[in-house]
């Protein structure tokens, strides 16, 4: 059962929800039912890196809850199968939502471009979804990126 904290959180000032897992992209139609004005930002990452990364995460979770060692070839095939299914389902859902004139909008960001120039990609995203990219936000983003770079270089 949900606690009252969840209900209170839902009705506080509006917040942005961020769903970052690859599991979410296959459920755009369900997302649209609950959030009819959702802004979907779809990060496109090369399959050569995203599928192995997802498989590694899946294996790490499985290792925590399963006693048996999972066959890595089978795991890779299952992750690839799920990736294909979820991408196709997302494309179909976004096409359907657009045809129906729903309030859901989709914006596509290439992972490599985000890594190469994160600030510019965030600026472009903000522009495309109608958010103001203020000087204050620019400074906050600069500070975050500097801190992240320092943490990653340790």
């Amino acid at each position: 059962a949900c606690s009252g904290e969840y209900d209170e959180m839902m009705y506080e000032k509006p917040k942005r929800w961020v769903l970052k897992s690859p599991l979410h992209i296959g459920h755009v139609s369900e997302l649209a039912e609950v959030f009819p004005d959702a802004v979907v930002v779809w990060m496109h990452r090369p399959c050569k890196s995203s599928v192995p990364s997802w498989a590694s995460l899946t294996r790490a979770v499985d290792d925590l809850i399963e006693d048996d060692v999972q066959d890595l070839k089978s795991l890779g095939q299952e992750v690839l199968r799920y990736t294909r299914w979820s991408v196709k389902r997302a494309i179909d859902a976004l096409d359907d939502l657009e045809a129906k004139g729903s309030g859901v909008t989709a914006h596509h960001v290439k992972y490599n471009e985000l890594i190469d120039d994160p600030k510019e990609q965030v600026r472009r995203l903000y522009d495309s979804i109608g958010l103001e990219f203020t000087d204050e936000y620019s400074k906050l983003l600069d500070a975050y990126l500097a801190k992240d770079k320092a943490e990653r270089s340790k």
Side-chain angles (χ1 to χ4, degrees):
C2 287
S3 70
E5 292 173 26
Y6 174 79
D7 292 333
E8 290 172 21
M9 178 185 72
M10 291 296 298
Y11 296 101
E12 291 177 2
K13 80 174 197 177
K15 295 181 180 181
R16 293 185 192 122
W17 288 56
V18 178
L19 308 175
K20 294 172 37 174
S21 169
L23 287 171
H24 297 126
I25 199 63
H27 300 282
V28 171
S29 55
E30 291 88 344
L31 176 80
E33 288 175 22
V34 179
F35 301 100
D37 59 347
V39 174
V40 176
V41 178
W42 189 343
M43 180 71 60
H44 294 278
R45 188 173 170 195
C47 284
K48 287 183 179 183
S49 60
S50 63
V51 171
S53 175
W54 181 241
S56 177
L57 177 62
T58 302
R59 181 178 182 203
V61 171
D62 283 353
D63 285 349
L64 292 173
I65 58 176
E66 299 288 333
D67 291 332
D68 299 334
V69 175
Q70 188 168 12
D71 174 55
L72 296 182
K73 184 175 181 180
S74 297
L75 173 64
Q77 290 171 340
E78 185 58 35
V79 168
L80 190 55
R81 200 170 16 260
Y82 181 82
T83 300
R84 286 183 182 133
W85 173 85
S86 63
V87 167
K88 181 181 182 339
R89 194 164 191 263
I91 291 169
D92 291 347
L94 290 171
D95 287 347
D96 185 52
L97 290 165
E98 183 179 356
K100 290 178 181 175
S102 81
V104 174
T105 58
H107 304 273
H108 302 271
V109 177
K110 292 180 181 176
Y111 178 81
N112 291 341
E113 290 177 5
L114 179 67
I115 295 302
D116 290 345
D117 191 352
K119 190 171 179 180
E120 180 57 26
Q121 295 308 310
V122 171
R123 185 187 313 276
R124 285 183 189 174
L125 178 62
Y126 267 51
D127 186 51
S128 71
I129 62 178
L131 293 176
E132 184 180 1
F133 191 91
T134 64
D135 288 339
E136 178 185 9
Y137 184 71
S138 180
K139 290 174 186 169
L140 288 169
L141 188 54
D142 285 339
Y144 170 80
L145 292 170
K147 182 179 177 185
D148 183 64
K149 184 176 182 179
E151 290 293 321
R152 289 178 185 269
S153 65
K154 287 183 178 178

